[in-house]
Amino acid sequence: MDTQENMESNKEVDGDGHETNQDMSHINTQQLFRNIDDCLEDVKPENSQTHLISSENNQSLKQKELGEASQHITTLHSNQSESDNQEQNDEKTSCSSSQVDLTFSDQSVNKSKELFSSDSENKSELSKSVVESVTQANVISENIHKNITVNTNKNLSEETTECKSENKFLPTTKHVEEEEDVRSCKRQKLDTGEQLESERLLESQKLEALNRCEELETAMEDENVPVKEESIPVNEESTEADDAQQGYEIQYDFSKSPGQITGAWTEFENKEQNFLKGCKWSPDGSCILTNSDDNYLRLFNTPSEVYYGNMENVPQMTSILKMKGGETIYDYCWYPLMNSSDPATCCLISSSRCMPVHMWDAFSGELICSYRSYDQADELVAAHSVSFNPDGSKIYCGFNKTIRVFDVSRPGRDCQRRPTFAKSIGQPGIISCIEHSPVDYSLYAAGSYSRTIALYYEPKGELACCFKGQQGGVTHIKFSPDGTKLYSGGRKDPEILCWDLRNPSKILLTMKREVETNQRIYFDLDSSGRYMISGNHNGSINIWDVLDTDTTPQPILSYQAHHDTVNGVSLHPSLPLLATSSGQRHYPALGDSDDSDSEDFTQTTDSVDYSLGLWWLGS
């Protein structure tokens, strides 16, 4: 009954409502096992004690059953060959049904084995024969299943080959195919759009260039037709490079003494002995900063007449800002990225006696923040020199045998301490000046009052080398624009030395000047690195061509600028304009007197000139 139900369950209903057999081979296999069960029932004795079969009868029965099993197997084999064509038309359904029937056949085999095991010993040979026939039937069923599977795979492979021949790039799944199509379409659109945009831009630039050429040709043929500079197309990518090269295009004229355009002197007459201590142009050239003995930092704007080329009748300059330093100002420095169009960058720092390093707002003159240094006794100490690194992120301060580095974004007392002299090794003395290389930002130089110059490398400030050659304490150092040379000058030292950094112990040039005091006498180098300018104790200014092959070059121009010591010189970053500052401390002379209780102090006979001057060095 179970077999009949399974056979009925394997039936299907076609489109016309008729029942169809899925697989004739499966039905034949089921019929085989049913016949085997019937044979077993016939062979089974009713009573094992009373109905014993002799050995001869057993042998004849064995041969009979074997013959019947072989006939059934032959019949199955022939029926299977006829049903192969029908099975190929419906591969998937036949595969599933064959698996169900094979499962059923396995259950029948297990049942037969259990039945044979319960029989007596006399029926063992007959059981073995029947089992052999069942095994052969299973082998035939497995072969049939393999043939069906091979045919199915073959048909599927043929269909896949046909699909691939139609579309070689067909993905394995529909979802992947849709994603790849969308991505390829997007890439094609982007590539096409970018190509079209670049072609349009190139064509527009060509048209502008052609129009410009035609306009220039017309202007050359007819001198009365002016050429508008605004019509010249500007390449934004080359703007930065052009700005960097503007300094190298400054045209100086040293064939004659320059003329003074204007200056400032009234500002420094309010107090006696109010001499200047240097001047420095801002990085963008919009203003100039001065330091004086009254402990004020003054800010002067560049005269507007200079930009229009009007060098005559320029009024006297007046300060627009004053910043009180408290005590004697040791050093000051502009923020390297200062630009007047960006107020956030308009700042500077200064160091004063018994005071921390202050940062000032160059727009309002207000104090922004402070950077404090303390010694071993937790007492505030002042920096003798200050300097920004090239990107303006750190402040370097010089102390006695120590350099401290502050993070600009973290005011206060947090800093990195870098000793310059330890265990009789390094650079001794007070660090009086610090300068960074314009090429290698990890390299900086420091000069000290011990007449030594040292080179240090970031990030830990390790000592690279230390050399000595100045006659007095080093007060000012400056790198050449290409970073291969270093210039140094000292107090009460009449020489400016040029050091070859490729061989630091070698002095390339020695330039003579007049320095008779301990004050800092600045010098400056133009943006091309060719011309060196320095003041003298007698109020004159010397200009050298450092590209001269002579090891002790003579000044190519020397002129009288002030009646007192010229302690500060600074070249404008983009114009042939020179700023100078003058003055020194004058001590009264002790006069002769018969009264020992009274002393007659008279003013020294030296000329007094405390002023700021602007000089035009162009043609």
Side-chain angles (χ1 to χ4, degrees):
M1 294 297 293
D2 293 340
T3 305
Q4 185 68 24
E5 290 177 0
N6 289 331
M7 291 174 62
E8 292 178 357
S9 63
N10 289 330
K11 293 182 180 180
E12 291 183 350
V13 180
D14 58 6
D16 298 333
H18 300 288
E19 294 182 355
T20 58
N21 288 332
Q22 296 180 354
D23 194 348
M24 294 297 297
S25 62
H26 303 153
I27 297 174
N28 294 329
T29 305
Q30 295 172 3
Q31 185 176 2
L32 172 64
F33 290 111
R34 186 172 62 253
N35 292 332
I36 292 171
D37 294 335
D38 294 336
C39 292
L40 292 175
E41 290 178 358
D42 295 334
V43 173
K44 184 176 181 181
E46 296 178 358
N47 191 348
S48 60
Q49 294 180 357
T50 58
H51 300 283
L52 295 175
I53 302 174
S54 62
S55 60
E56 295 179 355
N57 293 332
N58 288 337
Q59 292 178 356
S60 61
L61 184 60
K62 176 180 178 180
Q63 292 177 355
K64 182 179 180 180
E65 293 297 333
L66 287 173
E68 292 178 356
S70 62
Q71 290 178 359
H72 284 292
I73 291 170
T74 304
T75 303
L76 282 174
H77 184 67
S78 61
N79 292 333
Q80 180 61 34
S81 62
E82 294 177 357
S83 63
D84 286 340
N85 295 328
Q86 184 178 358
E87 291 169 357
Q88 292 179 358
N89 296 329
D90 194 4
E91 291 126 353
K92 293 183 180 180
T93 308
S94 61
C95 290
S96 60
S97 59
S98 61
Q99 292 176 359
V100 174
D101 294 334
L102 289 174
T103 303
F104 176 77
S105 63
D106 293 336
Q107 294 177 358
S108 300
V109 171
N110 294 331
K111 181 178 179 181
S112 300
K113 289 181 179 180
E114 291 175 359
L115 182 60
F116 289 146
S117 62
S118 63
D119 291 340
S120 61
E121 295 179 354
N122 295 328
K123 306 303 182 296
S124 60
E125 295 180 355
L126 180 62
S127 299
K128 291 180 180 179
S129 63
V130 175
V131 169
E132 290 177 356
S133 63
V134 172
T135 303
Q136 292 178 359
N138 287 333
V139 170
I140 294 172
S141 299
E142 289 177 0
N143 293 330
I144 294 170
H145 183 21
K146 287 181 181 180
N147 292 330
I148 294 171
T149 304
V150 169
N151 292 329
T152 303
N153 293 334
K154 182 177 180 181
N155 294 331
L156 290 175
S157 63
E158 290 177 356
E159 292 178 359
T160 306
T161 305
E162 292 177 358
C163 294
K164 288 184 178 180
S165 63
E166 294 176 358
N167 187 1
K168 295 181 180 180
F169 302 98
L170 188 66
T172 56
T173 61
K174 184 177 180 181
H175 181 66
V176 175
E177 179 182 2
E178 293 176 355
E179 289 184 352
E180 289 294 331
D181 291 338
V182 172
R183 291 175 183 173
S184 62
C185 292
K186 287 183 178 180
R187 283 195 293 268
Q188 292 178 358
K189 290 181 180 179
L190 290 174
D191 296 339
T192 305
E194 292 177 356
Q195 184 177 2
L196 291 175
E197 185 176 358
S198 61
E199 290 177 356
R200 294 194 199 98
L201 182 60
L202 182 61
E203 290 177 358
S204 63
Q205 291 179 353
K206 288 181 179 179
L207 290 175
E208 290 178 358
L210 291 174
N211 294 333
R212 179 58 181 163
C213 291
E214 293 176 358
E215 189 176 356
L216 289 174
E217 291 176 358
T218 305
M220 292 174 65
E221 293 175 357
D222 188 2
E223 296 179 356
N224 296 327
V225 179
V227 181
K228 294 182 180 180
E229 296 180 355
E230 297 178 354
S231 63
I232 300 176
V234 178
N235 188 359
E236 296 179 356
E237 296 180 356
S238 62
T239 302
E240 297 180 358
D242 294 338
D243 293 339
Q245 294 178 357
Q246 284 181 0
Y248 295 90
E249 298 176 357
I250 300 175
Q251 299 297 326
Y252 295 102
D253 184 10
F254 297 125
S255 61
K256 60 180 180 180
S257 298
Q260 184 174 2
I261 301 174
T262 184
W265 46 88
T266 306
E267 289 273 347
F268 309 101
E269 294 177 352
N270 298 328
K271 178 185 176 183
E272 188 178 358
Q273 299 283 348
N274 190 21
F275 58 92
L276 279 78
K277 299 180 180 179
C279 57
K280 296 181 181 180
W281 285 105
S282 62
D284 65 348
S286 61
C287 53
I288 188 169
L289 184 67
T290 63
N291 176 26
S292 56
D293 194 59
D294 60 356
N295 303 329
Y296 274 100
L297 293 173
R298 289 178 172 86
L299 194 64
F300 297 87
N301 274 337
T302 303
S304 59
E305 291 80 2
V306 174
Y307 298 106
Y308 296 102
N310 184 12
M311 304 302 174
E312 297 180 358
N313 301 323
V314 180
Q316 183 182 171
M317 300 168 62
T318 56
S319 61
I320 58 173
L321 282 178
K322 292 182 180 180
M323 291 158 279
K324 180 66 173 177
E327 295 288 340
T328 301
I329 298 175
Y330 290 148
D331 198 7
Y332 55 100
C333 179
W334 280 102
Y335 181 68
L337 305 180
M338 181 267 183
N339 191 340
S340 58
S341 62
D342 185 5
T345 62
C346 296
C347 59
L348 56 101
I349 56 175
S350 66
S351 176
S352 303
R353 178 176 176 269
C354 299
M355 300 289 288
V357 176
H358 291 320
M359 178 177 286
W360 305 91
D361 188 343
F363 261 96
S364 62
E366 297 179 354
L367 179 65
I368 299 176
C369 59
S370 299
Y371 303 89
R372 301 186 299 274
S373 300
Y374 295 88
D375 57 8
Q376 294 84 351
D378 202 26
E379 294 182 355
L380 183 67
V381 292
H384 292 269
S385 59
V386 291
S387 176
F388 280 101
N389 64 337
D391 61 3
S393 61
K394 295 181 180 179
I395 298 175
Y396 291 72
C397 303
F399 298 86
N400 185 18
K401 303 177 184 179
T402 305
I403 294 176
R404 288 184 171 93
V405 182
F406 290 89
D407 189 345
V408 174
S409 62
R410 298 185 63 184
R413 64 184 301 167
D414 293 337
C415 65
Q416 183 182 1
R417 187 175 180 272
R418 300 177 179 178
T420 61
F421 187 78
K423 298 181 181 179
S424 301
I425 300 175
Q427 184 180 20
I430 296 174
I431 305 301
S432 58
C433 50
I434 301 173
E435 181 76 8
H436 286 79
S437 173
V439 178
D440 186 1
Y441 288 1
S442 64
L443 176 67
Y444 64 93
S448 74
Y449 287 135
S450 64
R451 298 177 291 180
T452 59
I453 300 171
L455 298 177
Y456 299 92
Y457 273 101
E458 293 289 2
K460 297 182 180 180
E462 297 177 352
L463 179 65
C465 61
C466 185
F467 43 93
K468 185 176 181 180
Q470 295 290 159
Q471 300 179 17
V474 180
T475 56
H476 188 50
I477 56 177
K478 191 171 184 65
F479 278 95
S480 62
D482 60 0
T484 60
K485 304 179 186 66
L486 181 66
Y487 297 89
S488 64
R491 57 185 181 182
K492 285 190 176 182
D493 188 347
E495 295 178 345
I496 297 177
L497 303 179
C498 177
W499 303 87
D500 186 0
L501 296 184
R502 294 165 294 187
N503 185 10
S505 62
K506 182 179 179 181
I507 298 176
L508 294 177
L509 301 174
T510 302
M511 289 157 282
K512 299 291 184 179
R513 65 175 179 172
E514 185 181 349
V515 179
E516 298 179 358
T517 63
N518 287 327
Q519 67 183 137
R520 193 193 304 264
I521 305 296
Y522 289 92
F523 57 84
D524 200 6
L525 197 66
D526 76 314
S527 57
S528 66
R530 179 176 182 178
Y531 300 110
M532 169 70 70
I533 298 181
S534 176
N536 294 283
H537 182 78
N538 59 4
S540 64
I541 293 177
N542 294 339
I543 302 174
W544 295 272
D545 186 354
V546 297
L547 299 182
D548 194 345
T549 57
D550 190 2
T551 57
T552 57
Q554 298 298 317
I556 61 174
L557 178 62
S558 181
Y559 69 96
Q560 191 69 31
H562 295 271
H563 301 290
D564 207 341
T565 302
V566 180
N567 50 47
V569 292
S570 181
L571 286 167
H572 195 278
S574 59
L575 295 173
L577 192 62
L578 175 65
T580 60
S581 60
S582 64
Q584 63 174 325
R585 190 180 301 279
H586 295 275
Y587 296 96
L590 182 63
D592 295 334
S593 175
D594 296 336
D595 189 359
S596 60
D597 295 334
S598 62
E599 294 182 355
D600 182 15
F601 292 95
T602 59
Q603 186 68 26
T604 180
T605 58
D606 295 338
S607 299
V608 176
D609 184 3
Y610 306 151
S611 64
L612 172 69
L614 292 184
W615 308 83
W616 184 256
L617 301 180
S619 57

